[in-house]
């Protein structure tokens, strides 16, 4: 691995200008015909401006946000611990989440009096669902939400971008399962959805599970599939002469095959970070074993500034432009006349009010129609109930009439029975008296 080249004045100036002005203040030097270039006859002192900006930037600190996308258990947390040489407190994620969850964790790191506000966003449950069709949507929504928050802060009347905690994702580390064959459909779909919103660096996790020959073929296969599917990954910049050579060589090593471990293993007389196996030790920082050192150099020591600038100047600007175009803003009129923000606002407000009134009228008409339909249904129900009531009433009257007739018949039968009973009793008593009289006559 080549040593990291020293910072040039151009890099220092670019770094300070980007951080202090929050990537939105632009200093432009006019090169028109009315501008003259003069030579100084003595020292003035404005060449100390880069030093002043560096001092101010170091005082304010920096922010860096990393999105780790990969399946559960692939080694995302371990690699983050190894990358920053510390131990982040992470909860073990299960494989039983119904959907993908984004879990951001914020940390403050300090190195040589430089403060870094680090945010690590983990995709919990990614790839664990049976239906993986929309696994990328929570990730895209989260990235867009951070852009939206920054845009809202930028458009405020009273804004404070200098003290605003930037949560936009600067880099997406996409962890690829070391199958040794090809990318999964989920990987291709997700990276395709993310490449216009975030800088993507694909890495092969747990590279010690694949042999060197298979690993090299796997890298070639991955890059071929990414190109054939139109996936744009982050390329290390080669426009700066100080880092052009090292970045160009590192672009040929993508995707990086990495191994993560925070454990120290003794090799000879020194302790190194690695993984102990029955057959030997895999050293994390040994470039013949894995690409971890290359990833750390490219991600943190060489191109962290470019990642932040790309996030602001490319991905955020694309989101911002699309949002403003949706609202109706544009740079010039059709006849290339200067664009009036006030007129656009008034016209858009008038259009919005017209759409609102139209929707309100539609809702009112829909409500009236719904009320009429409900009234008609209620009236129909009322008629049905009335008809049913009349039917029951007639049936009740008929049943009552029948019962009256049956009652009268029963009363007549009772009267007839009583008359017969009285006649029978009279006859029986008469016959009894006649029999007793005959008995007396016989005795006499």
């Amino acid at each position: 691995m080549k040593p990291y080249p020293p910072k040039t004045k151009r890099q220092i100036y670019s770094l300070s200008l980007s951080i202090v002005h929050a990537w939105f203040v632009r200093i432009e030097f006019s090169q028109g015909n009315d501008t003259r270039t003069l030579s100084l006859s003595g020292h003035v002192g404005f060449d100390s401006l880069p030093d002043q900006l560096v001092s101010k930037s170091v005082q304010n600190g920096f922010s860096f946000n990393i999105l780790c996308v990969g399946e559960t258990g692939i080694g995302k947390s371990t690699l983050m611990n190894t990358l920053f040489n510390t131990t982040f407190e992470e909860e073990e994620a299960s494989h039983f989440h119904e959907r993908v969850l984004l879990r951001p964790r914020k940390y403050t790191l300090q190195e040589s009096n430089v403060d870094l506000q680090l945010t690590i966003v983990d995709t919990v449950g990614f790839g664990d669902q049976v239906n993986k069709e929309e696994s990328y949507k929570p990730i895209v929504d989260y990235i867009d939400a951070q852009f939206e928050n920054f845009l809202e802060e930028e458009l405020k009347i009273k804004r404070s971008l200098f003290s605003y905690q930037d949560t936009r994702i600067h880099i997406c580390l996409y962890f690829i399962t070391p199958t040794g064959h090809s990318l999964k459909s989920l990987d291709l779909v997700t990276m395709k959805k993310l490449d216009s919103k975030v800088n993507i660096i694909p890495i092969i996790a747990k590279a010690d599970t694949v042999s060197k020959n298979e690993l090299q073929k796997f890298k070639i296969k991955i890059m071929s599939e990414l190109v054939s599917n139109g996936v744009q990954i982050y390329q290390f910049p080669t426009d700066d002469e100080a880092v052009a050579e090292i970045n160009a060589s590192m672009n040929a090593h993508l995707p990086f095959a990495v191994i993560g471990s925070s454990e120290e293993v003794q090799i000879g007389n020194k302790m190194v970070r690695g993984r102990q196996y029955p057959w030997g030790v895999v050293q994390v920082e040994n470039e013949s074993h894995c690409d971890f050192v290359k990833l750390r150099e490219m991600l943190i020591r060489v191109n962290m500034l470019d990642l932040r600038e790309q996030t602001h100047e490319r991905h955020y600007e694309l989101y911002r432009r699309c949002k403003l175009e949706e609202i109706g803003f544009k740079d010039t009129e059709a006849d290339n006349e200067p664009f009036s923000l006030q007129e656009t606002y008034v016209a858009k407000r008038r259009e919005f009010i017209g759409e609102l009134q139209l929707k309100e009228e539609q809702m009112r008409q829909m409500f009236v129609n719904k009320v009429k339909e409900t009234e008609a249904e209620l009236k129909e129900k009322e008629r049905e109930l009335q008809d049913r009531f009349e039917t029951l009433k007639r049936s009740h009257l008929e049943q009552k009439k029948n019962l009256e007739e049956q009652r009268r018949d029963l009363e007549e039968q009772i009267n007839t029975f009583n008359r017969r009973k009285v006649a029978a009793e009279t006859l029986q008593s008469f016959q009894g008296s006649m029999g007793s009289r005959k008995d007396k006559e016989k005795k006499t």
Side-chain angles (χ1 to χ4, degrees):
M1 185 70 188
K2 296 184 179 180
Y4 172 61
K7 287 187 175 68
T8 62
K9 285 187 177 181
R10 177 186 174 188
Q11 286 179 294
I12 296 175
Y13 181 78
S14 178
L15 169 65
S16 306
L17 188 62
S18 299
I19 303 306
V20 173
H21 295 270
W23 308 288
F24 71 95
V25 177
R26 298 289 183 266
I27 297 179
E28 298 180 355
F29 297 93
S30 175
Q31 299 295 333
N33 296 329
D34 56 344
T35 302
R36 295 185 301 166
T37 301
L38 301 177
S39 60
L40 304 179
S41 58
H43 181 262
V44 177
F46 58 79
D47 60 347
S48 65
L49 177 60
D51 297 331
Q52 298 175 32
L53 292 177
V54 168
S55 177
K56 187 66 175 179
S57 300
V58 171
Q59 180 181 353
N60 293 336
F62 305 89
S63 64
F64 194 60
N65 307 318
I66 303 176
L67 172 65
C68 298
V69 181
E71 299 177 0
T72 304
I74 203 171
K76 301 187 292 294
S77 301
T78 303
L79 182 63
M80 290 297 102
N81 294 338
T82 311
L83 194 63
F84 290 95
N85 198 18
T86 186
T87 302
F88 300 110
E89 296 181 0
E90 295 287 345
E91 298 178 3
E92 293 186 1
S94 66
H95 294 268
F96 304 102
H97 294 279
E98 296 181 357
R99 59 188 182 89
V100 179
L101 304 177
L102 278 294
R103 186 170 60 189
R105 299 293 179 89
K106 299 180 183 294
Y107 307 94
T108 300
L109 306 180
Q110 188 177 40
E111 185 179 32
S112 300
N113 296 325
V114 177
D115 292 333
L116 179 66
Q117 300 295 327
L118 178 65
T119 301
I120 299 177
V121 184
D122 189 14
T123 53
V124 180
F126 181 79
D128 291 339
Q129 294 75 31
V130 176
N131 184 7
K132 303 179 180 62
E133 184 177 356
E134 296 184 350
S135 296
Y136 65 88
K137 288 194 65 177
I139 305 175
V140 174
D141 294 341
Y142 180 85
I143 297 174
D144 287 342
Q146 311 318 306
F147 285 154
E148 182 71 21
N149 294 338
F150 190 87
L151 181 60
E152 289 178 359
E153 182 67 25
E154 197 176 37
L155 296 178
K156 285 182 179 179
I157 297 177
K158 295 182 179 181
R159 59 183 184 178
S160 56
L161 289 176
F162 290 105
S163 59
Y164 176 76
Q165 180 64 42
D166 188 8
T167 59
R168 295 174 297 177
I169 299 299
H170 299 124
I171 180 64
C172 170
L173 295 179
Y174 196 96
F175 289 72
I176 300 173
T177 306
T179 59
H181 299 287
S182 61
L183 289 173
K184 299 179 180 179
S185 300
L186 176 62
D187 299 331
L188 290 172
V189 172
T190 304
M191 282 192 278
K192 184 62 178 177
K193 295 293 182 180
L194 296 179
D195 62 356
S196 62
K197 299 179 179 295
V198 67
N199 303 311
I200 300 177
I201 294 182
I203 58 178
I204 303 173
K206 297 182 177 181
D208 53 340
T209 60
V210 186
S211 66
K212 281 191 175 182
N213 293 334
E214 292 176 345
L215 190 60
Q216 189 61 31
K217 294 179 181 178
F218 190 34
K219 285 186 175 184
I220 297 173
K221 181 68 174 178
I222 289 173
M223 294 304 297
S224 174
E225 290 183 346
L226 292 178
V227 172
S228 61
N229 287 275
V231 179
Q232 300 292 328
I233 64 174
Y234 175 76
Q235 295 289 321
F236 303 118
T238 57
D239 54 348
D240 191 346
E241 296 180 357
V243 295
E245 184 179 355
I246 187 174
N247 281 346
S249 63
M250 288 300 103
N251 283 330
H253 285 84
L254 290 173
F256 292 131
V258 299
I259 302 169
S261 176
S262 56
E263 300 178 358
E264 291 189 348
V265 182
Q266 185 172 0
I267 302 294
N269 296 328
K270 62 178 182 179
M271 301 296 293
V272 297
R273 286 189 295 175
R275 303 182 71 88
Q276 180 75 52
Y277 292 99
W279 44 264
V281 177
V282 176
Q283 301 178 36
V284 172
E285 296 180 331
N286 189 331
E287 293 191 50
S288 63
H289 291 182
C290 69
D291 298 331
F292 172 78
V293 175
K294 297 182 179 67
L295 175 64
R296 183 179 60 190
E297 293 286 328
M298 293 296 97
L299 182 64
I300 299 177
R301 301 182 181 180
V302 180
N303 297 300
M304 180 180 285
L305 172 62
D306 185 74
L307 288 168
R308 293 153 55 92
E309 289 180 344
Q310 286 290 325
T311 299
H312 180 78
E313 297 174 1
R314 178 188 171 193
H315 302 295
Y316 171 70
E317 283 300 320
L318 176 61
Y319 176 85
R320 174 180 172 274
R321 183 172 69 249
C322 294
K323 276 293 182 180
L324 294 182
E325 287 177 352
E326 288 179 5
I327 297 175
F329 295 113
K330 50 189 175 181
D331 294 332
T332 58
E333 298 289 351
D335 52 357
N336 292 328
E337 291 294 327
F339 181 70
S340 174
L341 186 64
Q342 178 66 22
E343 292 178 1
T344 301
Y345 170 76
V346 173
K348 202 65 181 180
R349 184 174 183 273
R350 189 182 300 113
E351 180 183 353
F352 176 76
I353 292 176
E355 292 178 357
L356 184 63
Q357 291 176 350
L358 178 61
K359 290 182 179 180
E360 184 179 357
E361 183 63 28
Q362 292 176 351
M363 291 295 293
R364 184 183 294 108
Q365 188 64 33
M366 186 182 302
F367 177 76
V368 171
N369 294 337
K370 195 67 175 179
V371 170
K372 289 182 179 179
E373 291 177 1
T374 305
E375 288 180 351
E377 292 178 359
L378 290 176
K379 288 182 180 179
E380 183 66 24
K381 293 291 184 182
E382 185 178 2
R383 284 195 296 270
E384 292 178 359
L385 289 174
Q386 186 66 29
D387 294 341
R388 186 177 179 183
F389 173 75
E390 293 295 335
T391 302
L392 292 175
K393 186 177 179 180
R394 288 193 296 269
S395 176
H396 173 71
L397 292 176
E398 292 178 357
Q399 291 180 359
K400 184 178 180 181
K401 183 178 179 181
N402 293 333
L403 290 174
E404 288 293 333
E405 292 178 355
Q406 292 178 3
R407 185 178 64 81
R408 287 194 294 270
D409 292 341
L410 287 173
E411 288 179 351
E412 291 178 359
Q413 291 178 5
I414 290 172
N415 293 333
T416 302
F417 175 77
N418 289 333
R419 287 194 298 270
R420 289 179 179 178
K421 180 180 178 182
V422 171
E425 290 177 350
T426 303
L427 179 61
Q428 185 177 4
S429 60
F430 177 74
Q431 290 177 351
S433 60
M434 290 297 294
S436 60
R437 184 181 300 174
K438 288 181 179 180
D439 291 338
K440 289 180 179 180
E441 288 177 357
K442 288 180 180 180
K443 289 180 181 181
T444 57

